[in-house]
Amino acid sequence: MALEPLAPETRNYIDGKLVDASNGGHFENVNPATEEVIGVCADGTKDDMLSAVAAARRAFDESDWANDHALRARCLRQLYEGMLEEKEQLRSIVVAEAGACASLTGFMHIDDPIEMMSYWADLANHYTYEQRMTDVPFMGQPQGRILRREPTGVVGAITPWNVPVYLNIAKIGPALASGCTLVLKPAPDTPWSATHLGKIAAEKTDLPPGVLNIVASSDHLTGEILSTDPRVDVVTFTGSTATGRRIMECAAGTVKKIFLELGGKSANVVLDDADLAGPLGMGAMCCVHGGQGCAITTRLLLPRSRYEEGVAILENAFKTWSYGDPTDPANLQGPQISKRQQERVLSYIEKGKQEGARLLVGGGVPKHLPKGYFVEPTLFVDVDPDSTIAQEEIFGPVLCVIPFDDDDDAVRIANNSIYGLSGAIHSGSEERALAVARRIRSGTLSVNGAMWFHVDTPFGGYKQSGLGRENGEMGFEEYLETKVIGVKSTA
Ligand code: NAD
């Protein structure tokens, strides 16, 4: 696929201006498929973050942003149009810095998030912010009540590197549409997926200064200011459960509203009446984007009665799966994001072997890819559902196959997790599959390969996969406060 040459914005966006770091510092951006330094980014300091928070506070308290939904709709539509104009540059950025396969950028990496911005622009204008409730009697007199929804205030948004443009837009879109102002702290591995949005905002929109601020930094703790500073009202975080716990602790000091999209270890349950060739022939799809997706189903539950038949199909699917160079349109799996992540995945593979799982395919660094942080598509079978690789999020191209006895056993194993983000069920009977889906404790489920993801669909997790929901009106309402005004008629 022909990609546009890289020309990313490398400055932060604070109080309406594109700025270098206050101390002039930069950090390197590395392409995980080639290990080459592809450029630098302004290394935001704690002072930069404090300036961004001050700007967001001022914009919320002193500009018309919170009250003028027509202004918000106009600016978000400009942002949408600006992203459309910069679509090919955003595509090049996400392939180069996130190792995203170019063939996947037509969906969740680039095309979907751009279209999402159009949804948020429309919702800003058409949402019912105020309505009259039915009168109720009080001491013999009818009492009127007005129900109002108002923006909560300043939002601190912290995002990871795996689907960076999407994840940044999934915060910016609803928060700004609701009338909040926002400071975004992206992951240091993928800074341009955020700073380039700052350039679009600065050059192609009428966003008032301070409404949107983007502070990239090599220091994770620059983001911690967003969970402690009293001027921030909401923290919206996507990332690991460990960091989510830390953010909850920090936010408790000022009782912030928090909204967490965390890890997952989702189960794909294939019932004994399913057509195995379909779901298992596609079994290596869990390696898509190097397995670096929170909602990917990384535990595959197979009925004992058809176990060997299923494992044979999976083995073939893993051995014939195409992966490598993310710019090659044949590939759906590129590298892990960094050396550190590659080593982390390999250490989980070692742990799986030590704990007795049977390694059937892969398990190492591919010999034909000497450069880049690649890991072979890896298939473990006979996995103990309580073992480390069945319990912890690996975030790599590793599938754990677990046998089960009957539907009750499958539900028990699927729910045997601290996570509850997603999952899938395959069966010849929709009714039977739905009965299992209703018993699995997770935020999204797919029956027979159906896709649930869409901008209007609430997404989020049960248990330690998170708090709150992203996308759709429910996601928008996460950024709104509720006010009720009682009104007695003076007539
Ligand atoms: P991470 O938790 O290490 O980092 C995420 C972000 O938090 C980064 O921007 C990082 O700089 C920042 N950060 C780290 N420590 C911080 C602190 N103390 N205070 C404030 N910010 C801090 O996660 P990661 O490794 O970048 O991303 C992978 C994780 O994200 C996986 O667990 C994955 O499941 C999860 N994820 C979840 C969803 C979802 O929607 N549920 C989507 C994508 C990724």
Side-chain angles (χ1 to χ4, degrees):
M1 184 180 283
L3 290 164
E4 192 174 292
L6 282 171
E9 175 57 59
T10 63
R11 289 169 294 176
N12 286 325
Y13 178 55
I14 300 175
D15 204 10
K17 297 187 193 70
L18 295 167
V19 291
D20 289 317
S22 51
N23 64 2
H26 291 98
F27 65 103
E28 290 180 342
N29 197 355
V30 173
N31 181 329
T34 62
E35 303 181 30
E36 281 163 12
V37 175
I38 49 176
V40 294
C41 185
D43 197 356
T45 63
K46 294 199 169 135
D47 282 346
D48 293 328
M49 185 56 85
L50 291 169
S51 303
V53 170
R57 185 76 255 167
R58 213 166 33 244
F60 186 78
D61 292 339
E62 297 172 18
S63 82
D64 292 336
W65 185 253
N67 299 314
D68 189 343
H69 57 80
L71 168 67
R72 303 204 294 269
R74 178 161 61 83
C75 291
L76 291 182
R77 185 132 308 272
Q78 291 168 332
L79 205 47
Y80 165 67
E81 280 158 10
M83 288 171 69
L84 274 181
E85 286 166 27
E86 293 291 316
K87 190 189 229 180
E88 294 316 310
Q89 186 54 218
L90 289 167
R91 198 184 307 283
S92 295
I93 288 173
V94 91
V95 171
E97 70 175 7
C101 286
S103 47
L104 293 172
T105 61
F107 311 101
M108 213 156 145
H109 279 289
I110 297 298
D111 292 29
D112 286 351
I114 293 178
E115 287 312 312
M116 288 170 79
M117 193 51 86
S118 170
Y119 172 89
W120 299 120
D122 284 346
L123 192 59
N125 237 351
H126 297 127
Y127 184 78
T128 305
Y129 294 94
E130 186 169 307
Q131 55 191 299
R132 190 116 188 162
M133 296 171 72
T134 314
D135 288 2
V136 284
F138 179 68
M139 295 179 76
Q141 292 238 356
Q143 310 287 311
R145 281 116 2 109
I146 292 167
L147 176 64
R148 257 178 82 73
R149 306 302 308 272
E150 297 179 350
T152 307
V154 173
V155 176
I158 303 169
T159 52
W161 42 261
N162 60 327
V163 201
V165 173
Y166 163 73
L167 292 164
N168 294 335
I169 294 303
K171 307 290 187 203
I172 294 172
L176 297 197
S178 74
C180 290
T181 60
L182 178 136
V183 180
L184 171 68
K185 209 297 287 169
D189 312 83
T190 51
W192 298 340
S193 295
T195 52
H196 204 73
L197 298 178
K199 175 190 170 79
I200 297 169
E203 295 178 355
K204 302 190 183 222
T205 76
D206 299 328
L207 277 174
V211 163
L212 171 64
N213 305 271
I214 296 172
V215 184
S217 173
S218 64
D219 181 359
H220 296 298
L221 296 187
T222 309
E224 200 154 291
I225 291 170
L226 295 174
S227 52
T228 54
D229 193 299
R231 295 168 296 180
V232 176
D233 302 288
V234 184
V235 184
T236 173
F237 169 74
T238 300
S240 64
T241 296
T243 308
R245 287 190 199 108
R246 171 76 190 149
I247 285 172
M248 273 184 103
E249 277 171 28
C250 293
T254 47
V255 195
K256 294 189 196 315
K257 211 169 164 182
I258 51 171
F259 170 31
L260 305 173
E261 294 288 350
L262 307 177
K265 191 76 192 177
S266 302
N268 183 359
V269 181
V270 180
L271 298 177
D272 57 9
D273 62 351
D275 163 28
L276 298 192
L280 302 185
M282 299 282 285
M285 276 300 278
C286 63
C287 303
V288 78
H289 194 34
Q292 300 169 122
C294 54
I296 290 177
T297 49
T298 52
R299 292 182 295 156
L300 184 82
L301 277 50
L302 274 185
R304 277 189 211 282
S305 58
R306 302 187 68 187
Y307 193 70
E308 292 311 325
E309 180 192 351
V311 165
I313 300 172
L314 279 171
E315 184 175 0
N316 181 53
F318 269 70
K319 284 183 172 162
T320 54
W321 173 249
S322 170
Y323 70 102
D325 178 4
T327 65
D328 180 343
N331 293 331
L332 296 177
Q333 176 191 341
Q336 308 315 117
I337 188 71
S338 61
K339 181 90 186 146
R340 193 173 72 91
Q341 280 299 117
Q342 182 195 41
E343 285 169 353
R344 187 170 172 272
V345 173
L346 293 171
S347 75
Y348 270 115
I349 292 171
E350 282 312 304
K351 188 90 181 160
K353 290 193 272 187
Q354 283 162 19
E355 290 187 356
R358 186 155 60 98
L359 178 66
L360 214 54
V361 183
V365 174
K367 292 190 182 46
H368 69 288
L369 295 166
K371 278 272 174 211
Y373 310 124
F374 293 93
V375 174
E376 290 177 314
T378 297
L379 178 63
F380 273 115
V381 299
D382 308 345
V383 176
D384 176 345
D386 291 318
S387 64
T388 307
I389 58 167
Q391 287 293 320
E392 295 187 11
E393 187 183 43
I394 299 174
F395 231 51
V398 181
L399 183 64
C400 297
V401 182
I402 302 170
F404 68 85
D405 295 323
D406 55 21
D407 293 11
D408 287 348
D409 195 32
V411 169
R412 188 185 57 74
I413 296 170
N415 286 335
N416 174 19
S417 173
I418 62 164
Y419 297 112
L421 192 57
S422 193
I425 302 104
H426 292 271
S427 169
S429 156
E430 185 178 312
E431 200 182 332
R432 186 176 166 200
L434 282 173
V436 170
R438 290 189 180 103
R439 294 171 66 195
I440 293 180
R441 293 184 50 74
S442 75
T444 50
L445 284 154
S446 156
V447 164
N448 289 331
M451 174 46 81
W452 42 258
F453 176 79
H454 193 262
V455 63
D456 71 357
T457 309
F459 173 68
Y462 281 35
K463 302 189 268 183
Q464 294 188 38
S465 284
L467 288 176
R469 291 293 178 270
E470 201 147 71
N471 294 338
E473 279 204 22
M474 208 180 261
F476 176 80
E477 288 168 350
E478 296 281 353
Y479 297 97
L480 296 174
E481 284 286 11
T482 301
K483 179 183 281 177
V484 176
I485 308 172
V487 190
K488 194 190 271 181
S489 168
T490 50

